[in-house]
Amino acid sequence: LPLVGKVQHYAWGKLGSESAVARLQRDGRGVAVDEDEPYAEYWFGTHPNGPSTVKLPEGDMLLHDFLVGRPAALGVSADSESSALPFLFKVLSVNQALSVQAHPNKALAAKLHAARPDIYKDANHKPELALALTPFEALCGFRPLPDIVAGIEGCPELRDLVGDGPLAALTSLCESAGGVSSAGSRSPATPAAAASGASAGSPTGSDGELSSSAAKAALQSAFAAFMASAKDEGLVRDAATALVARLRGEEAAAGSPNRELILRLAEKYPGDIGLFAPFWLNVVTLAPGSAIFLGAGEPHAYLSGDCVECMATSDNVVRAGLTPKLKDVPTLVSMLTYKTGVPAVLRGEALDDCATMFAPPVPEFAVQRITVSATRSTPYQLTEAPSAAVLLCVGGKGEAVVKDSDDERPVTLSAGSVFLETCGASVSVTASEDLLLFRVHTNAAE
């Protein structure tokens, strides 16, 4: 069944036809593109902030309403109270950095929603997977602890915001583990190291000695001191301004790590505390077809590029920087995991010669990346999904033949076409031009 998604025009989105979101909406629905407007996100799901509609012969209907009373189509038991997809599927086109943020776990989400429903819109958690369509740049998770210490010691503006006491505690832990002996003795994690899964700069790896409870407590204390400085807007603004001035005066070749990134962030967010985020968090650039998974309490910020993203059905965000919106510092500092190390870059598991599965450790969703060649001699049969699925065509042309209990029908596939696949349907695909498809359903492995 054809789906109509919801486009979100957030200010950080790419403008006009530079945006994959705008192009997919144009190609799939014939909607004209406003070249002066940002196209940030394309939502497919039942979340009330951006509900999809399903196109039926008798007219359009909200996807949520269609699924009410159709538990078999959703793939849940007949006595289930749920009539909503457990996942929210998106396309993102990022022109400038999103806020530095993290998402609460289920228990905290329920608590926050009950206390502040105007800020925290629902009671669900929001684990998410970002799967790159183009080179996709992000801040993701705390860097190895020796790299954080070296970065603070090498940045006088940040050192002043953190304070001598918290920094001394971090340095002592690293020295006792042999991780750092002087400022700058460890190089920061690099995108190449992240892509290879290497633990750049960490003598014990992301799960080793420096991930002990003592190290996490010391990191939390230092990060809390840093974030507490945000209460004095003038102090933070002066420190950020001094940082930018110093970096602009450095030679690019011999400058501070992440110099160009910080200067780029400063153009959009001058004086913001988020300009110091690259000293704390890993900078990762995903190649197309690779992904990162972000569980509850993991700090991150998307910086640039296009991706597909899937998450549990939620819109809860706790922000820390690079935003004019509310920064809920006490909640953020208390909820982070403070895990350190280079984040895992996911390649997925090959199901066959066409499909790769990205199945994170949550039950709400799994994502298939499917490529079907125009030279393939036989139709490609999609694997059976454990629930209703959303199928999005990003590129190419072809046809899907859908068989369910009612009938068998052909469906045209081209860039921007998106469909609801009811649970139990059989789908085979033929390409006239090489197809790139993404398919989301629940995670049967969890």
Side-chain angles (χ1 to χ4, degrees), residues 1 66 70 73 402-409 422-425:
L1 298 173
F66 173 80
R70 293 180 173 87
V402 182
K403 300 178 183 179
D404 56 28
S405 58
D406 296 330
D407 60 1
E408 175 178 330
R409 58 195 177 279
T422 58
C423 187

Side-chain angles (χ1 to χ4, degrees), residues 6 8 10 43 46-51 88 121-122 314-316:
K6 169 68 173 179
Q8 307 284 11
Y10 305 137
W43 289 27
T46 54
H47 194 283
N49 287 357
L88 177 58
K121 304 294 187 180
D122 56 72
S314 175
D315 200 25
N316 279 326

Side-chain angles (χ1 to χ4, degrees), residues 46-221:
T46 54
H47 194 283
N49 287 357
S52 296
T53 57
V54 59
K55 300 187 77 65
L56 302 170
E58 59 271 28
D60 294 355
M61 180 184 293
L62 282 174
L63 177 57
H64 176 276
D65 294 347
F66 173 80
L67 293 172
V68 171
R70 293 180 173 87
L74 183 59
V76 298
S77 60
D79 59 354
S80 172
E81 297 181 358
S82 173
S83 57
L85 288 177
F87 56 81
L88 177 58
F89 182 39
K90 302 180 181 181
V91 180
L92 271 60
S93 287
V94 181
N95 184 51
Q96 66 187 59
L98 282 68
S99 59
V100 180
Q101 60 186 254
H103 307 299
N105 60 28
K106 278 189 175 182
L108 180 58
K111 181 179 177 181
L112 292 173
H113 177 63
R116 306 178 74 179
D118 56 324
I119 301 297
Y120 300 105
K121 304 294 187 180
D122 56 72
N124 201 16
H125 67 163
K126 194 186 176 189
E128 60 190 35
L129 179 93
L131 176 51
L133 292 172
T134 66
F136 191 78
E137 186 183 22
L139 296 170
C140 177
F142 283 104
R143 296 165 57 190
L145 204 54
D147 292 350
I148 293 175
V149 171
I152 297 172
E153 290 181 339
C155 178
E157 302 85 5
L158 177 55
R159 191 167 62 238
D160 289 344
L161 296 179
V162 172
D164 293 338
L167 176 57
L170 281 178
T171 303
S172 177
L173 278 168
C174 289
E175 288 177 346
S176 67
V180 64
S181 58
S182 62
S185 63
R186 290 284 176 181
S187 60
T190 64
S196 68
S199 184
S202 175
T204 56
S206 60
D207 296 317
E209 183 179 353
L210 294 186
S211 292
S212 67
S213 58
K216 289 182 179 180
L219 177 57
Q220 181 172 0
S221 177

Side-chain angles (χ1 to χ4, degrees), residues 307-320:
C307 76
V308 296
E309 185 186 36
C310 196
M311 62 203 65
T313 301
S314 175
D315 200 25
N316 279 326
V317 179
V318 183
R319 297 178 177 88

Side-chain angles (χ1 to χ4, degrees), residues 64 97-98 230 233 293 295 300 342 392 409 411 426 442:
H64 176 276
L98 282 68
E233 294 183 2
F293 172 71
H300 61 280
V342 177
L392 168 69
R409 58 195 177 279
V411 174
S426 171
T442 57

